[in-house]
Amino acid sequence: MTKTKGAPGIDVAVVLFFKKAAIPDKIRIRDFSMPLVNRIPGFISGLSGQSGLVGMMHARKYADEKKLEMIVVDLSVEVEKPLYPKVLKPEDLPNVDLLNLIRSSKELMQGIREHWLDWLSEEGRRGVDYGSLKEAELIARRPDFIPRLLRLPGFTHVHVVTHPAMTSFHTLPLTATSFPSDYKHIVAASARLHPDIEVVL
């Protein structure tokens, strides 16, 4: 597939780890995702934005410590609506299908935080005072609630979400972008520094 000329989109780096004796010849990317502390069911997640380089550094260190092979799959992901360069307010939400929770207004984030706390309450989790966490911390710890968010009225048109996330290879949140594994607008995919590995969409 080729990228549509002039179409808005985002580059996503999906960091994967394999045992050195089990490096695949082919990666069907829809079956894989970057290892998050709480993986998002049915979604692909990868590094994006300015924290990408920091994330790669820590991922490399993690791979070396665990004696694993790190493979980065670079994806080019298109969206239908223009990217929103400003801080996103609730009234702007209908104008985007890429929701950037890193650059969203306090009002929008507070509303999302209430949904997260409601869902955590439903789970009956004990031992963690989630109510004391700020919006970004809540999302970073529990990005697996993103599919529930996208089923809510006002969010059903959103297909791609950029958000903070805790990974297995760094102790601090990194910027990730996530989207459903059956998303139709992954327009390019390749294994960085591994031209011998075929990436299948």
Side-chain angles (χ1 to χ4, degrees):
M1 301 176 71
T2 57
K3 194 176 191 307
T4 305
K5 187 176 181 180
I10 188 169
D11 294 325
V12 180
V14 183
V15 180
L16 305 173
F17 301 98
F18 296 91
K19 293 181 179 179
K20 292 185 180 294
I23 300 172
D25 296 324
K26 179 185 296 186
I27 294 175
R28 188 176 186 275
I29 193 58
R30 298 185 192 278
D31 295 335
F32 290 89
S33 183
M34 183 173 69
L36 304 182
V37 171
N38 280 294
R39 183 173 176 175
I40 308 172
F43 274 56
I44 298 171
S45 298
L47 295 174
S48 59
Q50 295 182 348
S51 72
L53 290 177
V54 174
M56 292 294 177
M57 179 181 68
H58 287 278
R60 170 54 61 195
K61 182 179 179 182
Y62 174 87
D64 291 344
E65 290 174 350
K66 301 292 185 180
K67 295 181 170 55
L68 298 171
E69 183 72 17
M70 182 180 87
I71 295 175
V72 179
V73 176
D74 291 310
L75 302 178
S76 181
V77 181
E78 286 185 356
V79 291
E80 296 176 356
K81 298 185 179 184
L83 300 181
Y84 196 78
K86 302 177 182 179
V87 174
L88 190 71
K89 299 177 181 179
E91 59 266 28
D92 301 319
L93 191 55
N95 301 322
V96 301
D97 54 349
L98 189 161
L99 173 60
N100 189 339
L101 296 178
I102 308 294
R103 289 183 53 80
S104 291
S105 69
K106 185 175 182 179
E107 182 182 0
L108 179 57
M109 292 297 287
Q110 285 177 338
I112 291 173
R113 180 177 185 271
E114 291 305 313
H115 291 302
W116 252 246
L117 291 175
D118 287 344
W119 295 329
L120 286 164
S121 178
E122 290 175 9
E123 288 186 348
R125 291 289 182 104
R126 296 181 179 181
V128 178
D129 182 13
Y130 286 105
S132 66
L133 299 179
K134 295 182 179 180
E135 293 86 352
E137 293 175 298
L138 270 176
I139 295 167
R141 292 188 183 209
R142 294 301 304 270
D144 52 312
F145 284 148
I146 286 175
R148 295 184 70 168
L149 176 70
L150 301 190
R151 291 195 293 268
L152 293 177
F155 291 91
T156 56
H157 65 288
V158 173
H159 304 298
V160 181
V161 182
T162 295
H163 58 94
M166 298 298 298
T167 67
S168 63
F169 52 84
H170 192 23
T171 56
L172 297 175
L174 296 169
T175 299
T177 292
S178 301
F179 46 90
S181 58
D182 61 355
Y183 187 58
K184 304 301 183 184
H185 297 285
I186 306 173
V187 295
S190 62
R192 187 186 305 182
L193 303 179
H194 289 83
D196 52 320
I197 296 178
E198 180 185 2
V199 179
V200 180
L201 296 177

